[in-house]
Amino acid sequence: VVRILPEPAFVAALGDLYQLSGRDKEARAQYALVEQSAKLSQAKGNLYNRQLALFYADHDWQAEAAYELAKKEYEARRDVYGADALAWTACKVGHLTEAQAASKDALRLGTKDARFWYHAALIANASGNKAEAVKLLKQALQLNPQFDPLQVSIARKMLTE
């Protein structure tokens, strides 16, 4: 898929799979390609700001940059995907009240995207609401037990703890 359409989310997923299989060099190459794609995108109208923000947040990189990208994207396109990206990146920079509000907005339509529920769970956990976090993690894994190569292992680990 990446050879046909090197969209940042696909490239990042391939990098994650390399990372999980111990192929660190190949993973780093894919992650570098994500950032290169984003830089090219900025010259062409910022097509991938949301994907780059999520990539940074998922990998605990450049949290402030991720948050700023997500915030600008959400101002331009106020949809549930933008709300989720804003929620996740706001959580990563410690803006928990904003993260909770944006997460509520992301979940308002009941969109069947496990990442929304996973992000909401981690926001609830960061806010100290462990019971809600467990409930939301279970919902995420019920919707899609393989929603993300890296994040699903975090979700399962949190549930066992």
Side-chain angles (χ1 to χ4, degrees):
V1 170
V2 169
R3 283 190 212 119
I4 296 168
L5 180 64
E7 199 267 343
F10 298 153
V11 176
L14 178 58
D16 293 345
L17 293 173
Y18 283 144
Q19 184 73 35
L20 289 169
S21 65
R23 296 168 62 180
D24 296 340
K25 183 178 177 183
E26 290 99 330
R28 284 192 304 274
Q30 296 305 312
Y31 295 158
L33 183 56
V34 170
E35 291 191 297
Q36 289 171 356
S37 297
K39 288 176 185 170
L40 289 173
S41 172
Q42 288 174 343
K44 294 181 179 184
N46 299 317
L47 299 174
Y48 298 122
N49 280 346
R50 188 180 326 190
Q51 290 90 335
L52 183 60
L54 289 169
F55 171 75
Y56 284 153
D58 285 347
H59 295 85
D60 293 321
W61 294 348
Q62 302 188 43
E64 286 293 336
Y67 172 67
E68 290 301 323
L69 286 169
K71 192 163 61 167
K72 287 178 186 171
E73 182 77 10
Y74 188 59
E75 289 169 4
R77 297 190 307 175
R78 296 188 68 86
D79 62 9
V80 293
Y81 293 94
D84 177 64
L86 179 61
W88 187 223
T89 59
C91 180
K92 291 293 185 164
V93 294
H95 301 305
L96 294 180
T97 301
E98 182 179 15
Q100 290 169 321
S103 182
K104 184 178 179 182
D105 190 27
L107 296 174
R108 69 184 155 82
L109 298 178
T111 303
K112 303 287 185 199
D113 188 325
R115 292 175 57 96
F116 288 13
W117 301 95
Y118 169 72
H119 294 156
L122 270 67
I123 292 164
N125 190 59
S127 302
N129 191 341
K130 307 293 184 200
E132 181 70 6
V134 167
K135 180 181 124 191
L136 293 165
L137 283 171
K138 287 179 180 178
Q139 286 178 286
L141 291 169
Q142 183 179 20
L143 278 171
N144 183 352
Q146 299 298 327
F147 67 87
D148 180 275
L150 292 179
Q151 304 305 315
V152 76
S153 62
I154 294 168
R156 289 191 177 121
K157 183 179 177 186
M158 285 182 67
L159 278 176
T160 60
E161 292 173 354

